[in-house]
Structures are given as structure tokens and as C-alpha cells.
Amino acid sequence: MSFESLGLAPALLRALADNGYATPTPIQAEGIPLVLAGHDVLGGAQTGTGKTAAFGLPLLQRLAEGNKPAAGPRKPRALILVPTRELAVQVADSIRSYSKYLRLNVTTIFGGAGMGPQVDNLRRGVDILVATPGRLIDHMQQGTAKLDAIEILVLDEADRMLDMGFLPAMKRILARVPSERQTLLFSATFESQIKQLALEFMRDPKQVQVAAQNAIAATIQHRAHPVDGSRKRDLLIDILTRRHSEQVLIFGKTKHGCNRLAEQLETAGLPAVAIHGNKSQAARQKALNAFKSGKARILVATDVAARGLDIPNLPLVINHDLPMVAEDYVHRIGRTGRNGMTGEALSLVSPDEAQLLRQIQRLLKADITLEAIEGYEPSRPIRLDGNAPGAARPGGQRPGGNRTPRKPGHRAHGKPADRGAHAHAHTGQKQGQGRGQGQGKPSGRRDSRA
Ligand code: AMP
């Protein structure tokens, strides 16, 4: 499979070669021909699958081939709606790099930045507008953004836009875009609201799904360390100190918590940068660049700020706090285990978060190894589903009793047999549905405590 065979124009092929893209990803191989043929497309894909190029390349080609707009400042012909400013910047950067041999320009519009420069850019003429819904509404109200020439509309990370409460804004925007248009919707999940949006605003959409709903890489190991909330920071520092060579993305619950955590890590001699919604766009981009270039080893982020960030494949993601909703766990750890590489997701789980952990376990349908770390055992036990009652003990979580809790930072490298044995000996919480792992069968699950 090559990009040529998908029917892309030479100007785009040259740009792809410059970008070092040799072969299309699955969502690109399936999606590009459909978009080129003018279909509406409903894409099930999350960040890291190459979805931006899957819609960006054929979008550019259709604009380049389409009727040339009348003279004078150009009105946008394509609108890409995204949930966050980071994603807006990232999508615009990608589209610019794909369009470097085409005469099309790209402008971003997002909140948290001055209106003035955005208005100037819009006045100068735009072909492709990448916008967050709230700020676009501001521009529509001021009359600075005109949407009556839109030919292609993309809703990127539609599920996230809904999560962030953008549905009313999206509907207002959709009402102002010509009904004669091509609509592309990308979403990691397809809950009923997304289906409703598609029914209402798309025409006979073709579905492209690159992974099962909520699927996550089978190469990721999930591990949860039970620990009291008050000791999480110390445990984290312990783990990070022992695993000093790996780049790691750490998720925290609140903006304030992330800042404080980054400061505490710094104080402990672990330089870290934080990224969250309260920071200015420039500060967030600076932190992200430091992390991407490898200058910063540790990035602390909130869910919203990290959403859609183009973070390279990481060996390790740590949840200092579990996310508020189980689905966000999937988004968080989408940053590890990409492209068949191994990845590890560690969660520090306080007894108060046990219920959330069980919800995550049910959603994942994958193994989570629950493992107390010596010296950090929680005051109340935590259990996963499938644990025999009373299996986990205060202060140890260890039914077998003849092995001591693990030292922090010790990595159980992924032989499936190890993992199975491990789960049996420790807590037995293997749920037996790990993708392709073929171990942890329910029938053999309880023998360690029988
Ligand atoms: P996305 O899912 O659109 O955020 O893309 C994830 C990352 O994959 C980005 O860094 C892209 O530049 C990169 N990428 C997308 N398509 C390809 C491809 N066909 N070959 C290599 N890298 C790609």
C-alpha cells in the first residue's frame, strides 16, 4: 500500500515524502479514498492513528482541485472544529506541512489568545480554518468569521467536544455552514450523542473504524499500586527516581494539583514541566516542546490539556490520580504502546478510588495487575472485580504471604506467563480477557487463595 495508490496528487506526495511518511496508516488507507470520492465519513480513531492526515490530505486535494474562489479576500472553504487550542495548533501545523506545495492557507482561532490577530488573519483571507467552537462563535457574532463558503466541515475529536460542553456551540456553527457540504467526523468513541450528531448532520456517512471501540494497544501493561492518597507523592518520587532514564507523562486531576506536583518533583531533583488549561498558550507550547525535544523528561498534565497532544510514543504513563471517568483512562494511555511498541501504564490508586479502578477494569477488558509496593501499603485494602472476598489484606494486598511486596520501580517485563503467575500469586485479579494474551482464564483464577 502506498500513498500514490490512494489517488493523492503529486504536490501532496512530495510533502509526505518531506515529512518522512512512507506508508499510509490503516485509517489513512481506508479513509483517504472515501473522502476523495466526496463521501461523508464517520471515523473511529484516536490520536496517534494518523487521523489528521486521513482527513487533511484529501481535504487539501479537494480544495486544490475545486473551483477557485472569486477574487478578493478568501472566505474559508474548509472548517476543522477541534476541542482544544493545543489540538488546533497541532492540526494546523500538520495541514500546513501537507500543503506546503499548494497555494492554500491555514488559520487558527481559539480562546485564551487575543481576538485582534485572529481578526487580522481572517480579514487577509483564509482557505482552511481550524477553530475551537467557543471562540468561533465569538467571531461569528462579530461578523469576522464567515462560514457561507464552507465546502468541507471536519469535527475532530467530536466526543471530546461533547464532553467539554460544546454541543450547543457546535449546533450553532452547523446551522451556519451550507448544507451542501462534505462532513467528516472523528471520534474515539461512539456513544449515542455522537450517533445522533451523525444522523442529524451527515449524509449517508461511510464508517471507518481502525480499532474496536475503546480498544487500546495489546502491548500495554496495566499496573495499579494501592497507596493512601497522602503517600502518593512519595511513592511517585520513589518510582521516578528508580526509573530515571525513561520519559514519562504523569496525569493529575486538577490544574493546581499538576502545578504543585511538578514543583514537588523539581524539589526532589526530578525536573518536570506542567501543562494545563490555566497556562497561556505560549507557556503550554513551550512545556510541550521541551518534552518533545527530550529536554524535559517528565510532563505533568491534566486530561483536558493533554487531549490531542501530539506526544511521541512513550514507554510509561503514570496516573497520579485516576481520571474522573473511565473512558479518560483510555485516552490517557493512548500515549504509550503505539505502533506495536511495549508500553506501561501505572496508576497510583487510593482506597477512595477503588470503585473507579473497577470501572476502568471493566471498560478495558484487559489485565490490571494490582500490586502493593513495600512501605506504601494503604491503610484500607483495594480489590478488583474477581477478587475473592478478603483476598486483599490491609498492609499488604498479598494473599499468598510468602513474598514481600515489590520494591518500587522494579519492572516485571512482559512475559505473559509471568504476568499470569504474578496475578495469581499477588491478588488473582486477572480478568481473563486480555487481548490476545491467552492467560488468566477464569477457571484458574482463584487457586492461589483456595
Ligand atoms: P495523529 O493521529 O493525526 O495525531 O498522528 C499521529 C502522528 O503520526 C503524527 O506525529 C503524524 O505526523 C504521524 N503520522 C501520521 N501519518 C503517518 C504516516 N503515514 N507515516 C508516518 N507518520 C505518520
Side-chain angles (χ1 to χ4, degrees), residues 373-436:
I373 299 285
E374 189 179 351
Y376 294 96
E377 297 88 345
S379 48
R380 279 185 286 142
I382 289 178
R383 271 180 256 165
L384 282 166
D385 289 340
N387 244 357
R393 291 177 185 167
Q397 301 284 316
R398 185 161 306 269
N402 56 351
R403 282 159 65 176
T404 49
R406 240 179 52 177
K407 299 268 192 286
H410 163 80
R411 293 182 79 175
H413 277 285
K415 277 187 282 163
D418 272 5
R419 296 180 57 194
H422 199 68
H424 284 241
H426 284 222
T427 52
Q429 54 249 195
K430 206 9 326 14
Q431 312 314 312
Q433 308 225 22
R435 229 174 301 283

Side-chain angles (χ1 to χ4, degrees), residues 3 21-25 28 46-53 90 98 310:
F3 281 108
Y21 293 11
T23 43
T25 66
Q28 292 162 3
Q46 54 199 63
T47 298
T49 54
K51 67 181 164 65
T52 314
Q90 207 172 286
Y98 306 147
D310 183 14

Side-chain angles (χ1 to χ4, degrees), residues 3-22:
F3 281 108
E4 279 92 337
S5 68
L6 299 177
L8 290 173
L12 291 169
L13 296 175
R14 255 175 86 195
L16 290 179
D18 292 353
N19 267 313
Y21 293 11

Side-chain angles (χ1 to χ4, degrees), residues 8 21 73 94 138 171 188 268:
L8 290 173
Y21 293 11
S94 297
D138 295 342
K171 288 197 161 171

